[in-house]
Amino acid sequence: MRLSRYFLPVLKETPSEAQIVSHRLMLRAGMIKQSSAGIYSWLPLGYRVLRNIEQIVHEEQARAGHIPMLMPTLQSADLWRESGRYDAYGPEMLRVEDRHGRDMLYGPTNEELITDIFRSHVGSYKDLPLTLYHIQWKFRDEIRPRFGVMRGREFLMKDGYTFDLTKEDALHAYNRHLVSYLRTYERMGLQAIPMRADSGPIGGDDTHEFLVLADTGESEVFYDAEITDLKFGDRAINYDSVEECQAVLEEFTSRYARTDETHDAAEFAKVPEDRRRTARGIEVGQIFYFGTKYSEPMGATVADADGTRVPVHMGSHGIGVSRLLGAIIEASHDDKGIIWPEGVTPFHAGIVNLKQGDAEADAACQSLYDSLKALGLDPLYDDRNERAGGKFATMDLIGLPWRITVGPRGLKNGVVELTSRRTGESEELPPEQAVQRIASIYGTVNA
Ligand code: ATP
Ligand code: MG
């Protein structure tokens, strides 16, 4: 993309309404624009990152064997009356009436809808296990929408639903989700710690929340510092293996890690004092096993091997896709702007032309641009007639991990400058080598 032809409405001033750094930076970098309280338009740069996050979620869901689909945002109130949640959910649910006077609602979550789909089409234990998920907009009329996309009213969520014949199978589905989430967040450059949590209005027995440590997080968390040394990495795992998933779950959840809702001071005191940490965290996902809570009242049953109809065991598993943008920025920025992890960056590299209009500099930039494109990478070429300082400030603000700077002086010696946004370190090297370096970095990230 050429910046002169792109739509990147960066703000010079720091918006006064934004209280936390991720919200400020998303507004300043021209990623989002508020349309009303807690509801945002996703401008092109923000939309690119949102799509990249979705893509990682889809890829990791596929790896775990989960099946994508799409359910609507507007739902009929009737299904929610069947489960008993129409009245229970409270004012966070946005209720609307259609022209025929039928009660509808903008879905805050999808347990009822998916259970209805399941009971209409699945009748035998032979069709289990089954995991269906979608990535869809949700609406919750939060009493205090704030912090930009972190606590919106309209927000994008991945929600997956598992159906199993027995509790044991359902717990494997739960463990499998925990493992696949560890990998999902790490690919986004995040450490998200699974913590024992409270089940809230979804209801359930087993539940973990995934928290990203950040001072601006809304949850108070208590954990054993050893947890932050754990990395899932790129280990190969067989998601069908009960033992393998169980082992990873134990590795990542055996140390103390809880939110304030489930915090137990006596248990916490057993952690050696020098490892005890109290901090704040951002909830970026949650997994639940809730047994037959919905399948029983809604009649989602299957025939077991003896032909007896039994209610299925269910779980639901969510990732806060739009909230993740805020969480990633909270975890990765400096005073100049955002620092995107390679896994989610909106463009792989920026090209800064120090002397737009200089035939040699223009040609070198164009050639870098074409070479990166030919390798399947997406560069952002700042081809505007602006001073170098302004171009650098924009690149730093929007946070592309790599910048190639091209100017007549370097070109005389056959070199361009490759700069890491994270470390600020620069290196001079021939243009072809800069391209190769970037290609190899992303080759590793996307492997
Ligand atoms: P919270 O406790 O933050 O209100 P929740 O526990 O009610 O969230 P879940 O039902 O577990 O939310 O939804 C799954 C994920 O969706 C959450 O882990 C979070 O990342 C995201 N999410 C929930 N509410 C919002 C919101 N208002 N804005 C943005 N993301 C949200
Ligand atoms: Mg939650």
Side-chain angles (χ1 to χ4, degrees), residues 93-113:
M93 184 190 277
L94 183 68
R95 296 151 207 263
V96 285
E97 200 179 273
D98 73 10
R99 65 196 296 168
H100 304 293
R102 290 189 204 104
D103 292 328
M104 312 278 294
L105 57 98
Y106 194 126
T109 177
N110 281 62
E111 281 80 7
E112 283 77 1
L113 210 51

Side-chain angles (χ1 to χ4, degrees), residues 140 198-199 207-209 283 285-288 323:
R140 294 183 187 172
D198 200 36
S199 56
T207 178
H208 280 88
E209 284 178 356
E283 182 194 330
Q286 184 160 14
I287 51 177
F288 296 94
R323 178 179 286 180

Side-chain angles (χ1 to χ4, degrees), residues 79 89 138 161 196 209 219 312 346 371 425:
L79 282 177
Y89 214 92
K138 304 289 183 290
Y161 302 90
R196 185 154 286 291
E209 284 178 356
S219 314
V312 289
S371 307
E425 278 163 25

Side-chain angles (χ1 to χ4, degrees), residues 36-40 72-75 80 89-96 105-110 136-142 145 152-157:
S36 59
I39 304 179
Y40 291 86
T73 52
L74 287 175
Q75 306 180 21
W80 288 68
Y89 214 92
E92 274 190 14
M93 184 190 277
L94 183 68
R95 296 151 207 263
V96 285
L105 57 98
Y106 194 126
T109 177
N110 281 62
Q136 178 61 291
W137 295 93
K138 304 289 183 290
F139 195 94
R140 294 183 187 172
D141 205 351
E142 302 275 356
R153 293 198 296 163
E154 189 184 50
F155 60 96
L156 191 59
M157 193 204 286

Side-chain angles (χ1 to χ4, degrees), residues 22 26 42 50 53 140 142 149-152 155-157 190 210 218-219 281-285 319-330:
S22 58
M26 286 183 79
W42 293 81
L50 189 69
I53 290 175
R140 294 183 187 172
E142 302 275 356
V149 299
M150 291 260 242
R151 184 161 296 284
F155 60 96
L156 191 59
M157 193 204 286
L190 280 179
F210 287 79
E218 291 185 294
S219 314
I282 301 166
E283 182 194 330
V284 292
I319 293 180
V321 173
S322 51
R323 178 179 286 180
L324 273 163
L325 276 95
I328 293 168
I329 297 172
E330 289 295 325

